[in-house]
Amino acid sequence: MHPLKKLFDHARRYRRDALLASVYSIANKLFDILPEVLIGVAVDVVVSRQDSFLARLGFVDVKVQLVVLGVLTVAIWGFESLFEYLYSVKWRRLAQDLQHDMRLEAYRHVQQLEMAWFEQKKSGQLMAVMNDDINQMERFLNGGANSILQVLSSTVLVSAVFFALSPSLAALALAPVPLILYGAFWFQKRLAPRYAAVREAAGAINARLANNLSGIATIKSYAAEEFEAAHVEAASLAYRDKNGAAIRFSSAITPVIRIAILAGFVTTLVYGGWMTLSGELAVGSYSVLVFLTQRLLWPLTGLAEIADLYQRSKASIERVLQLVDTPIGIPYAGRALPREAVAGAVEFRAVDFSYTGAAPTLSGVDLSIRAGETVGIVGSTGSGKSTLVKLLLRFYTPQRGAILLDGEDIGSAKLQDLRRLIGYVSQEPFLTDGSVADNIAYGTPDATRADVEAAARAAEAHDFIARLPQGYDTEVGERGQRLSGGQRQRIALARAILKNPPVLILDEATSAVDNETEAAIQRSLAHVARGRTTIVIAHRLSTVRQADRIWVMEHGRIVETGDHDALVAQNGVYAGLWRLQTGESLAEA
């Protein structure tokens, strides 16, 4: 299906607005052409006087004829200006509305795509589609759609006048028009792949810039500014070269069209003049045809710009609609999970999982967590600890086995309900660019300030928040950059506490904080874990020492289980990790 047709099929509710804008564009062009007709009528009045066209309509006096011409001129120019205002407002409003809706639709759809899809994409390229490509579509609707309509309507209207006044001259003067239109379409078809390459190159630049800006601290610390500037330069040069190839090709359209226009204009000027001199064509009619030839043919030079804008927009629309049409791998629909009906028992049954194109991450994992129990999951880097959490949150689905919540497969549950039942605190918590209170209440929009403060106290975050310049109203900056890592972590914990979920997950939440912050989080955890299932993923074994049970993972498998004392006594993997972290030698053990 053609991208523009697909776009308007996609935006059915704007069809009436598009139709009305089209009517205004065509009406404007009608009144835009009429002044040229009036010039011919004026020449006819001066030359023919009482035998003029207006005299045959009942205006015999020449002065009255001129007054009538003046009134008609004012009226025509007034209507032309009115419809120009109306189509300009309508097209621009339509462009803004459609741009707004498409950007929101694309963003909402992207949010529902599974994590595996994001692994194959670069954030900068997604930004290019949801921002640059949608803006390119807006630019076409702002001016390109109106230009196409006006070129087509002027061709039809001028052709009608030509054939009404002189069919033989019309056939000669308008002969270049089909060639001009064919040439424009021939060029635009060959522009399509060039502008598709331009959009890809633009996405590559955005991806590079987004990557570098997010890692600016590392770039500075390694004095790698010139190295990364060279990367940006290479991406920018690639974009420039792709754009240059498209521009060189599109620039050839205008000279070709001008040659065809010249043939039509010279035909009207010379052949029409001969016909007038021989009495076959009235002087007024000749004047009308000369001016209309200019009015029709010269705007066709704008086809080059229209074709350029159209192809850029077409490539952008294809990318946006491809994004919107990306199938959702993990469906959101399912059975309801009301908060009050969930106890929080979690079970993994023979779960196998591997990331796309990677070796198996989990192999035959079996574990069962009782409702209200606090458990720890430990192991070396890459053992599969965090993957368990991602599967429980249904960021991914296992290739084999099942994950149960209170004995029911989570795959059959409504996805949003499932995630609302789980409080998740990651190693690098996400803070939105808002106040401290906004971040604690994130995901709990109906929370009061008293609720927010109570959650902060439970997370032992209240004291440092109170010392901030505006307290709970202090802006944290983009990604919380105005706060320390420990402060961000405690705000994230307060957020999870405020959510009051039956299942709480801490995924390496203390791995990047100091001992004081870890101790504060441990004290908070001892309080908030009561009455809820708590899963603690940790490298630091001190974090899980007090857990009811601990699972030890190696290479995607459960290799040991028990409480801290029992695992140390086994003198296995856990005991080795414990001695390594506490500095205890094997002989001392």
Side-chain angles (χ1 to χ4, degrees):
M1 183 184 294
H2 194 279
L4 283 180
K5 184 179 187 306
K6 194 174 181 181
L7 174 65
F8 282 103
D9 283 347
H10 198 78
R12 290 177 181 274
R13 68 192 188 95
Y14 292 115
R15 285 185 173 182
R16 182 178 178 277
D17 291 328
L19 178 62
L20 202 54
S22 300
V23 170
Y24 293 153
S25 293
I26 294 170
N28 167 259
K29 182 50 61 177
L30 171 64
F31 286 102
D32 183 50
I33 287 172
L34 287 179
E36 273 66 28
V37 176
L38 289 182
I39 291 174
V41 174
V43 171
D44 184 52
V45 168
V46 173
V47 173
S48 303
R49 298 177 181 260
Q50 283 81 10
D51 297 325
S52 69
F53 172 74
L54 286 181
R56 292 195 295 274
L57 294 179
F59 304 101
V60 178
D61 188 276
V62 175
K63 292 182 179 179
V64 173
Q65 293 180 33
L66 292 175
V67 171
V68 170
L69 280 175
V71 171
L72 287 175
T73 300
V74 171
I76 288 170
W77 279 66
F79 279 113
E80 180 193 0
S81 301
L82 172 65
F83 284 113
E84 182 174 2
Y85 169 78
L86 291 175
Y87 83 64
S88 180
V89 170
K90 204 67 178 175
W91 278 119
R92 291 182 181 182
R93 180 62 181 271
L94 176 62
Q96 292 297 320
D97 288 344
L98 196 52
Q99 171 194 236
H100 171 74
D101 285 359
M102 288 299 295
R103 181 174 286 117
L104 277 183
E105 183 177 358
Y107 177 71
R108 289 180 186 277
H109 187 79
V110 165
Q111 285 191 126
Q112 296 183 33
L113 296 172
E114 64 280 7
M115 295 300 292
W117 183 84
F118 286 94
E119 292 173 1
Q120 312 299 320
K121 303 294 179 182
K122 295 181 179 179
S123 59
Q125 289 176 329
L126 292 176
M127 289 289 292
V129 174
M130 291 190 286
N131 193 40
D132 295 347
D133 284 332
I134 288 177
N135 288 344
Q136 187 65 51
M137 177 188 71
E138 177 216 358
R139 284 191 284 272
F140 173 73
L141 288 175
N142 265 340
N146 172 70
S147 297
I148 290 173
L149 279 172
Q150 293 210 326
V151 166
L152 292 176
S153 56
S154 65
T155 301
V156 172
L157 292 170
V158 171
S159 299
V161 174
F162 255 87
F163 279 101
L165 295 177
S166 175
S168 60
L169 180 58
L172 291 173
L174 299 178
V177 172
L179 296 175
I180 292 171
L181 296 176
Y182 174 80
F185 284 116
W186 185 89
F187 270 100
Q188 66 95 1
K189 283 183 180 179
R190 282 150 184 80
L191 274 173
R194 288 171 169 81
Y195 279 125
V198 168
R199 299 314 309 155
E200 289 297 322
I205 289 181
N206 277 352
R208 173 58 64 182
L209 291 174
N211 180 74
N212 286 10
L213 291 175
S214 65
I216 192 67
T218 302
I219 292 171
K220 286 178 174 294
S221 66
Y222 280 87
E225 290 91 343
E226 287 302 317
F227 177 76
E228 290 301 341
H231 279 160
V232 172
E233 182 183 13
S236 184
L237 284 172
Y239 174 74
R240 188 191 69 178
D241 292 343
K242 298 291 185 185
N243 224 348
I247 290 170
R248 283 192 297 273
F249 195 82
S250 65
S251 297
I253 303 176
T254 300
V256 172
I257 290 176
R258 283 180 179 272
I259 298 301
I261 288 171
L262 178 63
F265 184 71
V266 169
T267 298
T268 303
L269 193 66
V270 176
Y271 184 66
W274 290 345
M275 293 177 67
T276 304
L277 291 173
S278 63
E280 298 177 52
L281 190 65
V283 174
S285 297
Y286 175 62
S287 303
V288 170
L289 294 178
V290 170
F291 281 111
L292 282 182
T293 304
Q294 286 262 86
R295 175 64 69 183
L296 169 65
L297 296 180
W298 284 113
L300 289 177
T301 58
L303 282 175
E305 183 179 347
I306 295 171
D308 186 81
L309 188 62
Y310 168 77
Q311 282 303 335
R312 288 178 183 268
S313 180
K314 179 184 173 185
S316 294
I317 291 169
E318 284 180 322
R319 281 160 54 94
V320 173
L321 293 179
Q322 281 175 3
L323 179 61
V324 171
D325 292 339
T326 302
I328 296 173
I330 300 177
Y332 271 55
R335 59 183 172 84
L337 284 176
R339 168 68 178 82
E340 60 278 4
V342 175
V346 175
E347 183 179 358
F348 284 72
R349 288 184 182 172
V351 171
D352 290 349
F353 177 76
S354 61
Y355 295 98
T356 304
T361 305
L362 300 177
S363 301
V365 171
D366 286 293
L367 62 84
S368 179
I369 305 171
R370 294 183 291 269
E373 189 177 24
T374 297
V375 302
I377 301 175
V378 301
S380 59
T381 300
S383 59
K385 306 182 302 296
S386 295
T387 300
L388 291 175
V389 173
K390 294 173 182 177
L391 292 176
L392 181 57
L393 284 162
R394 291 197 70 203
F395 291 164
Y396 304 88
T397 54
Q399 279 85 36
R400 193 175 74 86
I403 303 170
L404 311 179
L405 179 63
D406 291 343
E408 297 286 341
D409 192 332
I410 63 171
S412 64
K414 189 176 180 181
L415 192 56
Q416 294 290 63
D417 283 359
L418 172 69
R419 290 173 178 168
R420 289 189 181 104
L421 296 172
I422 300 173
Y424 177 54
V425 183
S426 67
Q427 180 178 357
E428 297 180 1
F430 167 76
L431 296 189
T432 185
D433 188 8
S435 68
V436 171
D438 291 338
N439 276 282
I440 294 176
Y442 191 78
T444 315
D446 57 346
T448 64
R449 179 54 67 91
D451 295 332
V452 168
E453 186 174 328
R457 289 182 183 277
E460 297 203 15
H462 174 74
D463 290 344
F464 88 76
I465 294 173
R467 292 193 296 269
L468 294 173
Q470 284 84 42
Y472 284 87
D473 295 317
T474 301
E475 296 290 317
V476 303
E478 186 178 5
R479 299 190 306 276
Q481 61 186 358
R482 295 177 187 168
L483 303 177
S484 70
Q487 290 172 333
R488 290 196 296 269
Q489 202 64 271
R490 278 186 272 183
I491 287 176
L493 181 58
R495 175 196 295 166
I497 293 169
L498 180 61
K499 192 177 180 182
N500 191 28
V503 179
L504 177 63
I505 298 173
L506 276 72
D507 185 5
E508 304 284 7
T510 62
S511 64
V513 299
D514 55 40
N515 291 334
E516 181 183 352
T517 302
E518 182 187 10
I521 292 175
Q522 289 280 34
R523 290 192 299 270
S524 302
L525 188 59
H527 171 69
V528 301
R530 295 175 192 149
R532 74 180 86 239
T533 304
T534 305
I535 302 172
V536 182
I537 311 288
H539 272 107
R540 291 183 182 179
L541 302 187
S542 57
T543 307
V544 299
R545 183 173 183 176
Q546 304 302 323
D548 298 320
R549 279 189 294 167
I550 301 169
W551 278 277
V552 184
M553 296 190 68
E554 284 294 321
H555 307 298
R557 296 179 181 275
I558 304 285
V559 295
E560 293 176 2
T561 184
D563 62 20
H564 172 78
D565 293 335
L567 289 171
V568 171
Q570 285 182 26
N571 201 28
V573 176
Y574 183 88
L577 291 171
W578 178 254
R579 287 193 295 271
L580 184 65
Q581 292 187 18
T582 58
E584 181 183 355
S585 70
L586 185 59
E588 291 171 338

